[in-house]
Amino acid sequence: MDVLLKTEENLSVMATIPQDKLMIETDAPWCGIKATHAGFNYVDTKWDVKKKEKWTKGATVKDRCEPCHITQVLEVMSKVRDEDPETLSEVMYKNTLKLFFPSEI
């Protein structure tokens, strides 16, 4: 998903996908949202970043997409789509259940 958030055109396409077809992911450990990506302008949540050799607890590794970055992906998606992030995350959670765990819905 992070690669999808790279250009304005990709953001526009993502905004047109029906809610019932959306899921969310990161490209961990690669392709984090960078300052050069169009989606970066929609990111509010940030973490302290350290080079791999200088990593400390509570920081993320520079140039690596971590699982916690799913929050940033949600921020971008919800802002571009002009949707409430809590509502959108619930919809995507249910979509994930439908796809991977249909007996649980």
Side-chain angles (χ1 to χ4, degrees):
M1 177 55 82
D2 298 336
V3 173
L4 173 67
L5 308 178
K6 212 171 185 178
T7 68
E8 288 294 338
E9 181 181 8
N10 289 352
L11 293 176
S12 296
V13 169
M14 182 266 301
T16 67
I17 298 171
Q19 264 194 353
D20 67 329
K21 305 294 184 206
L22 284 175
M23 293 201 317
I24 190 169
E25 62 143 356
T26 68
D27 288 328
W30 316 112
C31 301
I33 302 173
K34 299 183 184 304
T36 57
H37 295 175
F40 185 81
N41 297 324
Y42 301 97
V43 172
D44 292 325
T45 305
K46 304 221 170 51
W47 291 269
D48 190 24
V49 178
K50 305 273 186 189
K51 288 185 176 182
K52 173 172 64 172
E53 302 79 24
K54 297 184 178 189
W55 178 83
T56 58
K57 186 175 181 178
T60 59
V61 176
K62 185 177 193 276
D63 294 325
R64 182 167 74 192
C65 186
E66 308 264 355
C68 64
H69 291 126
I70 196 87
T71 302
Q72 294 177 328
V73 176
L74 176 62
E75 290 171 348
V76 174
M77 291 177 74
S78 64
K79 288 178 184 174
V80 169
R81 295 174 61 86
D82 194 27
E83 297 179 23
D84 175 67
E86 292 292 324
T87 303
L88 185 58
S89 66
E90 184 63 30
V91 166
M92 291 187 290
Y93 174 73
K94 289 177 182 173
N95 292 345
T96 303
L97 287 177
K98 279 190 247 177
L99 181 65
F100 293 106
F101 308 101
S103 65
E104 301 207 12
I105 54 173

